Amino acid sequence: MPTVATWDKVRVRFHIYARTTLQRGSVILEIRTIEGTRVIVLSTQPDGTLPLPFEEGFQAVDCVIDELPLAAGQYVVAASLAVPNMDWLWFRPELGILSVEERDVYS
């Protein structure tokens, strides 16, 4: 199993199936502490400025974090698909657990 450590480059891939084309879609990735405090929220829109149409059928969307800014520990990962500022299409508040290994960040 791959390990993730502080400052690693991380890619999270969303596999999406859309029944119809949607011109204004959004992918949201949220990482929280085990106690529930949000530490990272990334989205294509409205927080980000990346327009993301969902095409009919299967597709993949990558979220790349160049340097993971999390200390060692365990975190809850949540993911969502939405129409920005209008509607949640899919929401999983506890999709899984992310384990971050420690790394000497000063070397």
Side-chain angles (χ1 to χ4, degrees):
M1 173 182 266
T3 60
V4 175
T6 304
W7 302 129
D8 277 355
K9 183 173 187 172
V10 175
R11 176 184 314 269
V12 177
R13 178 164 290 159
F14 291 84
H15 293 272
I16 300 167
Y17 175 78
R19 292 184 208 148
T20 62
T21 299
L22 179 64
Q23 293 303 315
R24 291 186 56 236
S26 179
V27 173
I28 301 99
L29 174 67
E30 180 180 308
I31 300 175
R32 298 185 314 254
T33 64
I34 294 296
E35 295 78 22
T37 302
R38 286 184 184 167
V39 290
I40 295 176
V41 178
L42 302 171
S43 72
T44 54
Q45 286 188 336
D47 299 319
T49 58
L50 178 67
L52 183 65
F54 294 156
E55 302 296 332
E56 184 176 351
F58 290 99
Q59 59 203 299
V61 176
D62 285 348
C63 175
V64 178
I65 302 170
D66 288 327
E67 293 181 328
L68 186 67
L70 297 176
Q74 293 199 331
Y75 299 87
V76 177
V77 177
S80 308
L81 301 175
V83 176
N85 299 315
M86 294 184 70
D87 194 17
W88 293 104
L89 303 173
W90 180 83
F91 177 65
R92 292 295 180 272
E94 295 180 358
L95 192 59
I97 299 294
L98 172 65
S99 295
V100 177
E101 300 294 320
E102 64 183 40
R103 168 170 289 146
D104 180 1
V105 296
Y106 297 107
S107 62

